[in-house]
Structures are given as C-alpha cells and as structure tokens.
Amino acid sequence: IAAGVTEAFLKAFRTGKTFETEDLYYEDDRLAGVFRIRAFKMLHHQLGVAFENITETKRAERELRQNRKLLDSIIENIPTIVFVKEGKDLKFTLFNKAGEDFLGIPRKDLIGKDDYNFFPKEEADFFTQKDREVLTTGELLVIPEEEIETANGKRKIYTKKVPIPGDNGNPEYLLGISEDITDLLNTEKELKKYAQIFLDHFGSRWNGNPDFFEIDIYYNNYIVGMNFKVVKERRSEMIKNGSRDGR
C-alpha cells in the first residue's frame, strides 16, 4: 500500500510492538478511500493486520475545519465588537478586529487578561458584576448604554452578553457583542437642541401654543432622525430629516 509498510509489518512481528500507519489513501478496482492500518503480533507466530476505513471521518473533519474557518472569518470581519471570556475567571479568550480597533489595544495583550488589566477599577467592577449576573442567571443581558475608557478617550457602547454552555450544560464562556453608539448619542443630543430652538422660535407664532405641533426624535443602532408635524386648521406637513413631504 505504501513504501516501507511491509518492512514495518515485519518489525511488528519481530519486536511484538504494534505498528499503526498514518492515514493512507488507497484505491483499486473495488474500493477507494482513506484507511488506517494496524499490525500486531498474535499467538502462534502470527501477525494480525487490521484495516479501518476512516473516509467518512476524514470528510467530516474536513467539513468541520471549513465551517470553523468560515465562522472565524465572519467574526473577524464583522464591523461589530465581539469578545469571549472564560466563565471561571472572566479572562479574554477571543477578541475580534473591530474590538481591537475600538479599544486601541493589540489582541495579543488582551488574550489571557481580564478587565482590571485595562480599565479603571470602577469600570472593571461594573463589567465584572454584569458578567457574573449573566453566568449566574444563564440568560441574555442587554446593557443599553455603558461608558468605557479606550485609547481614543471615553466612548459609550450598547452591549449584549450571553452565556455559552459547556458539555455539562453549565455556562462555560461568556459571549459579548457591543456597538459603539457614541456618535449616535451625540447626534441625538444635537437634534434635541435644534428641536428646542425650533420650539422656542416658532412656538409663539401659533398663539403661543406649544401643542400646535409635535416633535419626535428617534434613534436606534443604525439611524438617527427627527420628525416634527405642524398642524394648522386641516393642513399638515411632515418634516423628516431635512426633507419636506406634503400630506
């Protein structure tokens, strides 16, 4: 089947030590696949040889490697902060590129460390408290807004944390997904300021009744905007994000 295998069989027979080949590909007119071969000495000066067909096992291993490579690529390239911590000591075991860029700390310095190595004690205490809460309850935790110290100054993030169970069903890891919402919050603040300017300037023009129109500021993780509807008799007008649509 392969060069040197016959000699290895003879050596197994002479020494009595079991010989096992590396995975070998074999093909003839009747079968083809990947095999693992063991040779071992038997009683009465006989040599036993066992052939194990591991073709399906190798195929499954190859597919698992491909799927893992795809998952790693997605986590690495997604523009959202992703991190994983050990459940027992809350040390980082994974940090993607978006998280590395956000914190301004190389991943090689993050892995194997905990929050107290990088953040002020007050922040680290808060993160640790929330992590333990997730691991204790076994439930998803959403933190709408939390402040964090980075190499580029203080930023605010929206975070979800969820426990990852081990083989025994108990939380073994903590998965965190965060988004930087600093710019969104700043934009919301600006919109509120301009909404108040609009209210102060135009409110008195309609009999000083601030209920004469409605201002609605909205935002989520992807968009920030302001709607305000001005009502006079039966006519109405919607101004949204700087554009005017008659209604």
Side-chain angles (χ1 to χ4, degrees):
I1 295 176
V5 172
T6 301
E7 179 60 31
F9 285 178
L10 294 174
K11 183 177 180 180
F13 181 77
R14 289 193 301 266
T15 64
K17 294 182 179 179
T18 300
F19 166 75
E20 182 174 316
T21 67
E22 299 291 333
D23 301 337
L24 299 174
Y25 179 79
Y26 176 77
E27 180 177 1
D28 61 20
D29 295 337
R30 294 172 298 175
L31 79 161
V34 180
F35 295 84
R36 185 170 294 158
I37 306 172
R38 296 183 182 89
F40 47 92
K41 188 175 182 180
M42 301 176 64
L43 297 176
H44 309 298
H45 304 287
Q46 293 179 328
L47 181 71
V49 180
F51 293 80
E52 180 185 3
N53 189 335
I54 58 172
T55 305
E56 287 303 310
T57 300
K58 302 303 290 186
R59 180 189 61 79
E61 290 176 353
R62 183 173 63 253
E63 289 182 357
L64 182 61
R65 286 194 300 270
Q66 291 173 342
N67 290 337
R68 178 59 187 268
K69 184 177 180 180
L70 174 60
L71 179 60
D72 289 345
S73 179
I74 292 173
I75 292 175
E76 180 65 9
N77 292 284
I78 192 172
T80 301
I81 303 164
V82 178
F83 60 89
V84 176
K85 296 180 180 180
E86 287 274 4
K88 58 183 179 181
D89 54 19
L90 298 180
K91 291 183 178 180
F92 291 106
T93 62
L94 181 148
F95 227 99
N96 71 343
K97 186 177 186 301
E100 181 182 41
D101 293 343
F102 172 75
L103 290 179
I105 302 174
R107 267 175 289 187
K108 63 181 180 64
D109 296 333
L110 286 163
I111 303 304
K113 306 290 181 58
D114 61 26
D115 291 320
Y116 291 95
N117 293 113
F118 306 103
F119 306 113
K121 184 178 183 304
E122 184 178 353
E123 287 185 16
D125 285 343
F126 176 80
F127 299 150
T128 300
Q129 175 193 348
K130 295 302 180 182
D131 292 346
R132 290 301 179 196
E133 181 180 336
V134 171
L135 294 170
T136 300
T137 63
E139 297 179 353
L140 168 71
L141 175 67
V142 177
I143 306 172
E145 181 180 333
E146 56 183 339
E147 190 170 73
I148 185 171
E149 188 74 42
T150 75
N152 300 314
K154 290 187 179 294
R155 306 289 292 180
K156 292 187 177 181
I157 55 176
Y158 171 90
T159 300
K160 292 182 179 180
K161 295 183 176 182
V162 63
I164 305 299
D167 294 336
N168 59 5
N170 296 324
E172 186 172 348
Y173 297 96
L174 178 109
L175 168 65
I177 301 174
S178 300
E179 294 186 69
D180 184 357
I181 59 172
T182 309
D183 295 338
L184 289 171
L185 293 176
N186 290 338
T187 302
E188 181 199 15
K189 184 177 179 180
E190 287 297 305
L191 286 172
K192 285 183 177 179
K193 181 179 73 174
Y194 289 119
Q196 187 61 49
I197 292 173
F198 181 90
L199 180 64
D200 294 342
H201 182 71
F202 292 103
S204 61
R205 296 198 176 190
W206 289 293
N207 300 322
N209 184 2
D211 296 328
F212 214 66
F213 55 89
E214 298 176 355
I215 298 177
D216 176 35
I217 298 176
Y218 61 93
Y219 76 98
N220 54 33
N221 295 342
Y222 306 100
I223 187 171
V224 177
M226 177 171 65
N227 294 336
F228 50 91
K229 179 164 55 178
V230 181
V231 180
K232 186 174 183 180
E233 296 179 349
R234 294 185 179 180
R235 294 189 305 169
S236 64
E237 184 175 63
M238 180 71 74
I239 303 177
K240 182 178 182 181
N241 295 330
S243 63
R244 302 166 69 92
D245 299 318
R247 299 209 174 178

